[in-house]
Amino acid sequence: MSILLQDLPLTRIDAAEDVFAAASDSDLERLMGSLLEVGLLNPPWLKPRPGGGRWQVVTGTRRLKAAARLGWVEITARLVPEDTSDFSCLLIHLCDNAFTRGFNLKEQAALAARLLEHCDRQTVASRYLPYLGLPPSAAHLERLLKVAGLEAPWQDLAAQRRLALTAGALVAEWDPEGRAAAWAFLEA
């Protein structure tokens, strides 16, 4: 795969449509401070949209949003070829973030589910769970998949690190009415 490094206007990048990411916009202030202090250390990865002229985010949405909030008009980006597979883009996203910021439980669960669209369970557990900072265990993968299937309020708790993996997997075994009742109690 041939990767190019190029400066692009932020207006040509579709940062709102980040199909590979599972990340939240948390902690943009800290990232903005880093961009101001030392600049862009790790450029975002982009893929051309069909028809040309626009770019899809492979990884680096938070960097793009922080740069935009700082008033930047262009950014240096790594560009992958248009024919780069979705699986390759997902792996780029996974590796780019695994070794720079890590993942919260919501992101781990979403990425595990996305990896299963391309790989069998054994491969995801043994090869890719360690990239997520998790043990290469089939049981661990099954708990992650249960968390990935939870409703948005529960997933938000997982993103905030207020819901542990084992607890989330147990909550996922409740019927939807039980989860709704428990959530109502937590909101009170």
Side-chain angles (χ1 to χ4, degrees):
M1 176 179 354
S2 174
I3 308 296
L4 299 175
L5 200 60
Q6 183 176 331
D7 291 337
L8 291 174
L10 287 173
T11 57
R12 291 182 48 208
I13 301 169
D14 298 327
E17 299 177 29
D18 189 355
V19 298
F20 301 104
S24 64
D25 287 341
S26 65
D27 211 14
L28 276 185
E29 296 297 323
R30 209 171 82 168
L31 182 52
M32 289 168 57
S34 171
L35 289 174
L36 285 171
E37 188 72 28
V38 296
L40 182 66
L41 297 175
N42 186 16
W45 292 67
L46 307 175
K47 179 179 176 179
R49 291 234 181 248
R54 307 268 330 145
W55 298 88
Q56 173 185 25
V57 178
V58 173
T59 188
T61 300
R62 293 177 61 253
R63 284 166 266 176
L64 291 163
K65 288 180 179 180
R69 283 182 53 186
L70 289 170
W72 293 14
V73 294
E74 67 178 23
I75 195 163
T76 302
R78 289 185 178 100
L79 310 177
V80 300
E82 186 175 349
D83 63 350
T84 304
S85 72
D86 285 352
F87 182 56
S88 292
C89 290
L90 182 61
L91 291 180
I92 290 168
H93 173 78
L94 174 65
C95 293
D96 180 62
N97 287 283
F99 304 109
T100 57
R101 69 168 185 86
F103 300 102
N104 64 46
L105 177 56
K106 177 182 178 181
E107 294 165 338
Q108 290 170 329
L111 285 165
R114 297 275 309 279
L115 286 163
L116 278 175
E117 295 171 12
H118 304 279
C119 304
D120 61 72
R121 280 175 147 65
Q122 176 59 34
T123 301
V124 171
S126 64
R127 182 183 238 169
Y128 297 116
L129 287 189
Y131 288 12
L132 295 171
L134 301 169
S137 154
H140 219 86
L141 175 60
E142 294 310 315
R143 288 192 295 272
L144 279 175
L145 296 176
K146 288 179 182 180
V147 170
L150 286 171
E151 296 84 359
W154 293 103
Q155 291 211 7
D156 290 342
L157 281 179
Q160 298 162 12
R161 303 185 194 284
R162 294 176 49 208
L163 180 68
L165 176 60
T166 301
L170 290 171
V171 167
E173 292 177 5
W174 300 348
D175 60 53
E177 296 80 20
R179 288 193 300 271
W183 182 253
F185 174 76
L186 290 173
E187 286 184 310

